[in-house]
Amino acid sequence: MAGGSVLLAAVSLLSAFQQLHFAWLVGNSRRKHKVMPPAVTGAPEFDRTFRAQQNCVEFYPVFLTLLWTAGWFCNQEVASLLGVLYVFTRYKYFHGYVQSVSGRVTAFYLNLIILVCLLTLGVAGLVNSFLHEYLDVSLGKKLHKLI
Amino acid sequence: MAGGSVLLAAVSLLSAFQQLHFAWLVGNSRRKHKVMPPAVTGAPEFDRTFRAQQNCVEFYPVFLTLLWTAGWFCNQEVASLLGVLYVFTRYKYFHGYVQSVSGRVTAFYLNLIILVCLLTLGVAGLVNSFLHEYLDVSLGKKLHKLI
Amino acid sequence: MAGGSVLLAAVSLLSAFQQLHFAWLVGNSRRKHKVMPPAVTGAPEFDRTFRAQQNCVEFYPVFLTLLWTAGWFCNQEVASLLGVLYVFTRYKYFHGYVQSVSGRVTAFYLNLIILVCLLTLGVAGLVNSFLHEYLDVSLGKKLHKLI
């Protein structure tokens, strides 16, 4: 099962580690600002830290779905590179948001652009696979012949 | 890795796109009702929109897990069809909830029924695979002989 | 696609069922304490129940990623056993948190330890796969020769 997915799995592990790290930082912020569970509001810095992590949590399954679909059906190397960029821009997003509400904006739009790129790769790969599997047409070969 | 999963991947991409769309609608509702991050409460319509999206986020990894297990171990076509129905009922749920609290109920129960169907398919497929792999018994063939 | 993943899929189905069960218990707590949607705060017991479920939701995609990476790239049986332990400690965490805020602590740390074990297995498996696929070195065989 593992052949041809090493890079995708490596990026997935990296992003999972990042999620654990963000949860850890929320815990630190709880102690720093004395916001005891189950409360999720308190000092403004804690509120921003908590929302930053929640936003990362919300997008995480979407990211994984797009990463693996793009990687399996289109190109593993390109998808993994976009995945590493996503992890990096999520890092910028989180720390930017902790600093100030406006500090999250640029990184958030970069995140969205990366997700749209992964979605596009995934759709392109799926259309090709679909034509190949159900209509026996290979776009890859046709493009190759043209060039 | 991609053979025999084209439909499952297509449904996954569709549902990931839907999640991005819901997040986008929450952003629109933030601007409409002037609820600035990191706040997550404000006008009643915004509160409903936000909770609708949060509920979709909560169930999304569960949906993906059940979709792929049912598709890989039981039947890709049936699982994908149920997946498309899930995306449709999530659409009804979200927009129903934005309208009114009671507007979410019917679609929510339909969502649950679809998840239970996927779970049942997944369990059936796994029991068959388990018997086949560990006990060398094939229920599929036995059923085929009986008919 | 299904060969060699039966145990991982079984643990995934079990954990997905647990997530549905937790969501169900939050619904029950809503009715018991009369906390009507879209509100997410009310009686202290409801607040703890809701936060317990939210924490399980946050960690769920991370758990699935680590489970499958450890299982595919290192050892399915060990990863599945850790997965079952994770589901069990999540059960203890949830019900401990519903009882009292301090009741969640032990199970939460056990959860984290299990995730770190899965992460370690995944990294070890990936390093081995990477050496094998890109550098044509098999650590497994070398270890075998040494013994």
Side-chain angles (χ1 to χ4, degrees):
Chain A
M1 295 294 276
S5 308
V6 177
L7 297 177
L8 296 174
V11 174
S12 300
L13 275 194
L14 181 69
S15 65
F17 177 77
Q18 187 183 42
Q19 293 284 321
L20 290 177
H21 180 62
F22 289 160
W24 177 266
L25 292 177
V26 171
N28 283 353
S29 188
R30 273 193 185 281
R31 279 184 288 278
K32 184 179 166 190
H33 298 288
K34 299 191 173 44
V35 184
M36 285 302 105
V40 290
T41 44
E45 196 191 76
F46 173 76
D47 292 1
R48 292 198 304 274
T49 309
F50 182 70
R51 280 310 308 157
Q53 185 240 358
Q54 290 295 304
N55 190 284
C56 296
V57 166
E58 279 175 31
F59 282 82
Y60 188 51
V62 173
F63 164 67
L64 287 177
T65 305
L66 298 179
L67 172 73
W68 283 83
T69 314
W72 274 1
F73 291 90
C74 194
N75 185 299
Q76 191 194 190
E77 282 77 13
V78 177
S80 304
L81 182 66
L82 287 168
V84 170
L85 285 175
Y86 183 85
V87 170
F88 177 71
T89 52
R90 272 288 156 187
Y91 172 86
K92 301 297 278 182
Y93 169 85
F94 187 89
H95 291 284
Y97 205 167
V98 171
Q99 294 296 319
S100 72
V101 173
S102 61
R104 81 192 193 289
V105 180
T106 315
F108 185 71
Y109 284 112
L110 287 174
N111 273 319
L112 277 189
I113 292 170
I114 293 168
L115 289 180
V116 171
C117 290
L118 285 171
L119 181 63
T120 312
L121 284 183
V123 170
L126 272 182
V127 168
N128 190 31
S129 288
F130 189 83
L131 290 175
H132 189 66
E133 192 164 327
Y134 291 90
L135 304 175
D136 206 19
V137 174
S138 174
L139 283 186
K141 275 187 193 169
K142 291 211 168 171
L143 280 172
H144 204 254
K145 269 185 192 168
L146 283 172
I147 306 162
Chain B
M1 295 295 275
S5 308
V6 177
L7 297 177
L8 295 174
V11 175
S12 301
L13 275 194
L14 180 70
S15 64
F17 178 77
Q18 188 184 41
Q19 294 284 320
L20 291 176
H21 180 62
F22 288 159
W24 177 267
L25 292 177
V26 171
N28 284 354
S29 187
R30 274 193 185 282
R31 280 184 288 278
K32 184 180 167 191
H33 298 287
K34 300 190 172 46
V35 184
M36 286 301 106
V40 290
T41 46
E45 195 191 78
F46 172 77
D47 293 0
R48 291 197 304 274
T49 310
F50 181 70
R51 279 312 307 160
Q53 185 240 359
Q54 290 294 306
N55 189 283
C56 296
V57 165
E58 279 175 31
F59 281 83
Y60 188 51
V62 173
F63 165 65
L64 287 178
T65 305
L66 298 179
L67 173 73
W68 283 83
T69 313
W72 273 3
F73 290 91
C74 194
N75 186 299
Q76 190 193 191
E77 284 76 14
V78 177
S80 303
L81 182 66
L82 286 168
V84 171
L85 285 176
Y86 182 85
V87 169
F88 177 70
T89 51
R90 272 290 156 188
Y91 171 87
K92 300 299 279 183
Y93 169 86
F94 186 89
H95 291 283
Y97 204 167
V98 170
Q99 295 297 318
S100 71
V101 173
S102 62
R104 80 193 193 290
V105 180
T106 315
F108 185 72
Y109 283 111
L110 287 173
N111 273 318
L112 277 189
I113 291 170
I114 294 168
L115 289 181
V116 170
C117 290
L118 285 170
L119 181 63
T120 311
L121 284 182
V123 169
L126 272 183
V127 168
N128 190 31
S129 288
F130 190 84
L131 291 175
H132 189 65
E133 193 164 326
Y134 291 92
L135 304 175
D136 206 20
V137 175
S138 175
L139 284 186
K141 274 188 192 169
K142 293 211 168 173
L143 279 173
H144 204 254
K145 269 187 193 169
L146 282 173
I147 306 163
Chain C
M1 294 293 274
S5 308
V6 178
L7 297 177
L8 295 174
V11 175
S12 301
L13 275 194
L14 180 70
S15 64
F17 177 77
Q18 187 182 43
Q19 294 284 319
L20 291 175
H21 180 63
F22 289 160
W24 178 267
L25 291 178
V26 171
N28 283 354
S29 186
R30 273 192 186 282
R31 279 184 288 277
K32 183 180 165 190
H33 298 288
K34 299 191 172 44
V35 184
M36 286 300 106
V40 289
T41 44
E45 195 192 77
F46 173 76
D47 293 2
R48 291 197 304 275
T49 309
F50 182 69
R51 280 311 308 159
Q53 185 239 358
Q54 289 294 305
N55 189 283
C56 296
V57 165
E58 280 177 30
F59 281 84
Y60 189 51
V62 173
F63 164 66
L64 287 177
T65 305
L66 298 179
L67 173 73
W68 282 82
T69 314
W72 273 3
F73 290 91
C74 195
N75 186 299
Q76 191 195 190
E77 282 78 12
V78 177
S80 304
L81 182 66
L82 287 168
V84 171
L85 285 176
Y86 183 85
V87 169
F88 177 71
T89 52
R90 273 290 155 189
Y91 171 86
K92 299 300 277 182
Y93 168 85
F94 187 89
H95 291 283
Y97 205 166
V98 170
Q99 294 296 321
S100 72
V101 173
S102 61
R104 81 192 194 289
V105 180
T106 314
F108 185 71
Y109 283 112
L110 287 174
N111 273 318
L112 277 189
I113 290 170
I114 293 168
L115 289 179
V116 170
C117 290
L118 285 170
L119 181 63
T120 311
L121 285 182
V123 170
L126 272 182
V127 168
N128 190 32
S129 288
F130 190 84
L131 291 174
H132 190 65
E133 193 165 326
Y134 290 91
L135 304 175
D136 205 19
V137 174
S138 174
L139 283 186
K141 274 189 193 168
K142 292 213 168 173
L143 280 174
H144 205 256
K145 269 187 192 168
L146 281 173
I147 306 163

mmCIF file of all heavy atoms in Angstrom, chain C residues 97-126:
data_model
loop_
_atom_site.group_PDB
_atom_site.id
_atom_site.type_symbol
_atom_site.label_atom_id
_atom_site.label_comp_id
_atom_site.label_asym_id
_atom_site.label_seq_id
_atom_site.Cartn_x
_atom_site.Cartn_y
_atom_site.Cartn_z
ATOM 1 N N TYR C 97 -13.974 13.936 31.937
ATOM 2 C CA TYR C 97 -14.205 15.376 31.776
ATOM 3 C C TYR C 97 -15.658 15.736 32.112
ATOM 4 O O TYR C 97 -15.938 16.772 32.726
ATOM 5 C CB TYR C 97 -13.878 15.779 30.343
ATOM 6 C CG TYR C 97 -13.490 17.234 30.137
ATOM 7 C CD1 TYR C 97 -12.900 17.648 28.941
ATOM 8 C CD2 TYR C 97 -13.685 18.209 31.113
ATOM 9 C CE1 TYR C 97 -12.527 18.961 28.724
ATOM 10 C CE2 TYR C 97 -13.315 19.533 30.895
ATOM 11 C CZ TYR C 97 -12.745 19.906 29.707
ATOM 12 O OH TYR C 97 -12.391 21.210 29.495
ATOM 13 N N VAL C 98 -16.620 14.877 31.727
ATOM 14 C CA VAL C 98 -18.026 15.139 32.043
ATOM 15 C C VAL C 98 -18.209 15.202 33.563
ATOM 16 O O VAL C 98 -18.942 16.051 34.077
ATOM 17 C CB VAL C 98 -18.945 14.054 31.417
ATOM 18 C CG1 VAL C 98 -20.373 14.170 31.945
ATOM 19 C CG2 VAL C 98 -18.936 14.182 29.892
ATOM 20 N N GLN C 99 -17.486 14.326 34.307
ATOM 21 C CA GLN C 99 -17.575 14.323 35.774
ATOM 22 C C GLN C 99 -16.962 15.583 36.379
ATOM 23 O O GLN C 99 -17.573 16.232 37.209
ATOM 24 C CB GLN C 99 -16.850 13.086 36.342
ATOM 25 C CG GLN C 99 -17.492 11.752 35.985
ATOM 26 C CD GLN C 99 -18.893 11.607 36.572
ATOM 27 O OE1 GLN C 99 -19.135 12.016 37.694
ATOM 28 N NE2 GLN C 99 -19.821 11.060 35.799
ATOM 29 N N SER C 100 -15.742 15.907 35.987
ATOM 30 C CA SER C 100 -15.057 17.063 36.572
ATOM 31 C C SER C 100 -13.921 17.499 35.659
ATOM 32 O O SER C 100 -13.418 16.699 34.854
ATOM 33 C CB SER C 100 -14.504 16.711 37.950
ATOM 34 O OG SER C 100 -13.396 15.854 37.803
ATOM 35 N N VAL C 101 -13.484 18.761 35.793
ATOM 36 C CA VAL C 101 -12.409 19.279 34.933
ATOM 37 C C VAL C 101 -11.119 18.496 35.155
ATOM 38 O O VAL C 101 -10.403 18.170 34.202
ATOM 39 C CB VAL C 101 -12.196 20.793 35.207
ATOM 40 C CG1 VAL C 101 -10.989 21.304 34.447
ATOM 41 C CG2 VAL C 101 -13.434 21.595 34.808
ATOM 42 N N SER C 102 -10.834 18.154 36.410
ATOM 43 C CA SER C 102 -9.579 17.439 36.689
ATOM 44 C C SER C 102 -9.654 15.970 36.262
ATOM 45 O O SER C 102 -8.630 15.317 36.087
ATOM 46 C CB SER C 102 -9.253 17.522 38.174
ATOM 47 O OG SER C 102 -10.299 16.911 38.910
ATOM 48 N N GLY C 103 -10.883 15.460 36.055
ATOM 49 C CA GLY C 103 -11.053 14.056 35.686
ATOM 50 C C GLY C 103 -10.543 13.722 34.295
ATOM 51 O O GLY C 103 -10.445 12.550 33.931
ATOM 52 N N ARG C 104 -10.211 14.758 33.511
ATOM 53 C CA ARG C 104 -9.765 14.502 32.149
ATOM 54 C C ARG C 104 -8.257 14.327 32.053
ATOM 55 O O ARG C 104 -7.747 13.838 31.040
ATOM 56 C CB ARG C 104 -10.199 15.651 31.224
ATOM 57 C CG ARG C 104 -9.283 16.859 31.293
ATOM 58 C CD ARG C 104 -9.831 18.073 30.644
ATOM 59 N NE ARG C 104 -8.810 19.104 30.453
ATOM 60 C CZ ARG C 104 -8.282 19.816 31.444
ATOM 61 N NH1 ARG C 104 -8.621 19.606 32.675
ATOM 62 N NH2 ARG C 104 -7.360 20.730 31.163
ATOM 63 N N VAL C 105 -7.508 14.744 33.085
ATOM 64 C CA VAL C 105 -6.057 14.941 32.931
ATOM 65 C C VAL C 105 -5.295 13.660 32.589
ATOM 66 O O VAL C 105 -4.570 13.599 31.590
ATOM 67 C CB VAL C 105 -5.466 15.638 34.184
ATOM 68 C CG1 VAL C 105 -3.974 15.835 34.006
ATOM 69 C CG2 VAL C 105 -6.167 16.976 34.406
ATOM 70 N N THR C 106 -5.453 12.610 33.422
ATOM 71 C CA THR C 106 -4.674 11.382 33.216
ATOM 72 C C THR C 106 -4.906 10.816 31.813
ATOM 73 O O THR C 106 -3.952 10.526 31.085
ATOM 74 C CB THR C 106 -5.070 10.314 34.265
ATOM 75 O OG1 THR C 106 -5.119 10.939 35.542
ATOM 76 C CG2 THR C 106 -4.074 9.172 34.282
ATOM 77 N N ALA C 107 -6.191 10.671 31.437
ATOM 78 C CA ALA C 107 -6.512 10.082 30.136
ATOM 79 C C ALA C 107 -5.973 10.950 29.004
ATOM 80 O O ALA C 107 -5.541 10.429 27.966
ATOM 81 C CB ALA C 107 -8.021 9.901 29.996
ATOM 82 N N PHE C 108 -5.965 12.281 29.198
ATOM 83 C CA PHE C 108 -5.456 13.164 28.152
ATOM 84 C C PHE C 108 -3.968 12.922 27.909
ATOM 85 O O PHE C 108 -3.527 12.839 26.762
ATOM 86 C CB PHE C 108 -5.703 14.633 28.514
ATOM 87 C CG PHE C 108 -5.315 15.572 27.417
ATOM 88 C CD1 PHE C 108 -6.057 15.645 26.255
ATOM 89 C CD2 PHE C 108 -4.176 16.364 27.529
ATOM 90 C CE1 PHE C 108 -5.688 16.499 25.218
ATOM 91 C CE2 PHE C 108 -3.795 17.216 26.506
ATOM 92 C CZ PHE C 108 -4.560 17.284 25.360
ATOM 93 N N TYR C 109 -3.199 12.772 29.004
ATOM 94 C CA TYR C 109 -1.775 12.523 28.823
ATOM 95 C C TYR C 109 -1.521 11.149 28.207
ATOM 96 O O TYR C 109 -0.621 10.981 27.375
ATOM 97 C CB TYR C 109 -1.015 12.739 30.133
ATOM 98 C CG TYR C 109 -0.839 14.228 30.403
ATOM 99 C CD1 TYR C 109 -1.484 14.867 31.445
ATOM 100 C CD2 TYR C 109 -0.056 15.018 29.551
ATOM 101 C CE1 TYR C 109 -1.366 16.241 31.659
ATOM 102 C CE2 TYR C 109 0.069 16.381 29.761
ATOM 103 C CZ TYR C 109 -0.583 16.994 30.811
ATOM 104 O OH TYR C 109 -0.465 18.347 31.000
ATOM 105 N N LEU C 110 -2.336 10.156 28.595
ATOM 106 C CA LEU C 110 -2.217 8.833 27.959
ATOM 107 C C LEU C 110 -2.485 8.934 26.454
ATOM 108 O O LEU C 110 -1.770 8.339 25.637
ATOM 109 C CB LEU C 110 -3.191 7.843 28.601
ATOM 110 C CG LEU C 110 -2.809 7.380 30.014
ATOM 111 C CD1 LEU C 110 -3.919 6.520 30.602
ATOM 112 C CD2 LEU C 110 -1.495 6.586 29.982
ATOM 113 N N ASN C 111 -3.520 9.713 26.097
ATOM 114 C CA ASN C 111 -3.818 9.970 24.677
ATOM 115 C C ASN C 111 -2.609 10.520 23.940
ATOM 116 O O ASN C 111 -2.268 10.075 22.845
ATOM 117 C CB ASN C 111 -4.906 11.059 24.564
ATOM 118 C CG ASN C 111 -6.286 10.479 24.614
ATOM 119 O OD1 ASN C 111 -6.526 9.448 23.996
ATOM 120 N ND2 ASN C 111 -7.176 11.098 25.342
ATOM 121 N N LEU C 112 -1.976 11.522 24.566
ATOM 122 C CA LEU C 112 -0.819 12.153 23.928
ATOM 123 C C LEU C 112 0.327 11.166 23.753
ATOM 124 O O LEU C 112 0.979 11.132 22.712
ATOM 125 C CB LEU C 112 -0.345 13.347 24.762
ATOM 126 C CG LEU C 112 -1.074 14.662 24.548
ATOM 127 C CD1 LEU C 112 -0.362 15.786 25.258
ATOM 128 C CD2 LEU C 112 -1.161 15.004 23.042
ATOM 129 N N ILE C 113 0.552 10.330 24.803
ATOM 130 C CA ILE C 113 1.637 9.339 24.728
ATOM 131 C C ILE C 113 1.388 8.380 23.559
ATOM 132 O O ILE C 113 2.302 8.055 22.791
ATOM 133 C CB ILE C 113 1.753 8.583 26.071
ATOM 134 C CG1 ILE C 113 2.295 9.544 27.147
ATOM 135 C CG2 ILE C 113 2.661 7.368 25.941
ATOM 136 C CD1 ILE C 113 2.232 8.973 28.564
ATOM 137 N N ILE C 114 0.121 7.939 23.405
ATOM 138 C CA ILE C 114 -0.204 7.021 22.307
ATOM 139 C C ILE C 114 0.044 7.704 20.953
ATOM 140 O O ILE C 114 0.613 7.099 20.036
ATOM 141 C CB ILE C 114 -1.675 6.546 22.417
ATOM 142 C CG1 ILE C 114 -1.840 5.682 23.667
ATOM 143 C CG2 ILE C 114 -2.092 5.767 21.174
ATOM 144 C CD1 ILE C 114 -3.280 5.393 24.042
ATOM 145 N N LEU C 115 -0.344 8.985 20.837
ATOM 146 C CA LEU C 115 -0.116 9.705 19.578
ATOM 147 C C LEU C 115 1.382 9.825 19.288
ATOM 148 O O LEU C 115 1.818 9.663 18.139
ATOM 149 C CB LEU C 115 -0.766 11.092 19.626
ATOM 150 C CG LEU C 115 -2.299 11.118 19.577
ATOM 151 C CD1 LEU C 115 -2.811 12.552 19.647
ATOM 152 C CD2 LEU C 115 -2.826 10.431 18.309
ATOM 153 N N VAL C 116 2.192 10.080 20.336
ATOM 154 C CA VAL C 116 3.642 10.184 20.133
ATOM 155 C C VAL C 116 4.225 8.833 19.705
ATOM 156 O O VAL C 116 5.098 8.765 18.825
ATOM 157 C CB VAL C 116 4.332 10.738 21.408
ATOM 158 C CG1 VAL C 116 5.843 10.630 21.305
ATOM 159 C CG2 VAL C 116 3.919 12.193 21.641
ATOM 160 N N CYS C 117 3.706 7.736 20.284
ATOM 161 C CA CYS C 117 4.157 6.395 19.859
ATOM 162 C C CYS C 117 3.830 6.163 18.383
ATOM 163 O O CYS C 117 4.679 5.681 17.618
ATOM 164 C CB CYS C 117 3.471 5.315 20.697
ATOM 165 S SG CYS C 117 4.012 5.252 22.396
ATOM 166 N N LEU C 118 2.602 6.504 17.969
ATOM 167 C CA LEU C 118 2.205 6.321 16.569
ATOM 168 C C LEU C 118 3.078 7.189 15.660
ATOM 169 O O LEU C 118 3.503 6.746 14.574
ATOM 170 C CB LEU C 118 0.726 6.678 16.371
ATOM 171 C CG LEU C 118 -0.302 5.669 16.889
ATOM 172 C CD1 LEU C 118 -1.708 6.267 16.855
ATOM 173 C CD2 LEU C 118 -0.268 4.388 16.055
ATOM 174 N N LEU C 119 3.353 8.426 16.101
ATOM 175 C CA LEU C 119 4.198 9.331 15.319
ATOM 176 C C LEU C 119 5.594 8.744 15.142
ATOM 177 O O LEU C 119 6.157 8.749 14.039
ATOM 178 C CB LEU C 119 4.270 10.691 16.024
ATOM 179 C CG LEU C 119 5.088 11.810 15.382
ATOM 180 C CD1 LEU C 119 4.522 12.217 14.039
ATOM 181 C CD2 LEU C 119 5.146 13.045 16.298
ATOM 182 N N THR C 120 6.142 8.178 16.230
ATOM 183 C CA THR C 120 7.479 7.584 16.182
ATOM 184 C C THR C 120 7.517 6.400 15.218
ATOM 185 O O THR C 120 8.428 6.278 14.392
ATOM 186 C CB THR C 120 7.890 7.133 17.602
ATOM 187 O OG1 THR C 120 7.639 8.202 18.510
ATOM 188 C CG2 THR C 120 9.357 6.751 17.645
ATOM 189 N N LEU C 121 6.499 5.519 15.319
ATOM 190 C CA LEU C 121 6.407 4.376 14.387
ATOM 191 C C LEU C 121 6.343 4.872 12.951
ATOM 192 O O LEU C 121 7.008 4.329 12.052
ATOM 193 C CB LEU C 121 5.153 3.549 14.656
ATOM 194 C CG LEU C 121 5.114 2.615 15.872
ATOM 195 C CD1 LEU C 121 3.781 1.878 15.883
ATOM 196 C CD2 LEU C 121 6.266 1.628 15.809
ATOM 197 N N GLY C 122 5.515 5.908 12.717
ATOM 198 C CA GLY C 122 5.347 6.443 11.362
ATOM 199 C C GLY C 122 6.649 7.001 10.823
ATOM 200 O O GLY C 122 7.020 6.720 9.671
ATOM 201 N N VAL C 123 7.369 7.767 11.657
ATOM 202 C CA VAL C 123 8.642 8.348 11.208
ATOM 203 C C VAL C 123 9.638 7.231 10.895
ATOM 204 O O VAL C 123 10.311 7.243 9.854
ATOM 205 C CB VAL C 123 9.197 9.327 12.271
ATOM 206 C CG1 VAL C 123 10.618 9.735 11.939
ATOM 207 C CG2 VAL C 123 8.310 10.560 12.378
ATOM 208 N N ALA C 124 9.712 6.225 11.804
ATOM 209 C CA ALA C 124 10.641 5.106 11.584
ATOM 210 C C ALA C 124 10.326 4.389 10.271
ATOM 211 O O ALA C 124 11.216 4.120 9.452
ATOM 212 C CB ALA C 124 10.561 4.128 12.755
ATOM 213 N N GLY C 125 9.048 4.096 10.046
ATOM 214 C CA GLY C 125 8.638 3.423 8.817
ATOM 215 C C GLY C 125 8.934 4.249 7.585
ATOM 216 O O GLY C 125 9.384 3.726 6.559
ATOM 217 N N LEU C 126 8.700 5.555 7.681
ATOM 218 C CA LEU C 126 8.922 6.432 6.530
ATOM 219 C C LEU C 126 10.412 6.547 6.192
ATOM 220 O O LEU C 126 10.777 6.533 5.010
ATOM 221 C CB LEU C 126 8.376 7.831 6.815
ATOM 222 C CG LEU C 126 6.913 8.048 6.476
ATOM 223 C CD1 LEU C 126 6.518 9.480 6.764
ATOM 224 C CD2 LEU C 126 6.644 7.722 4.995
#
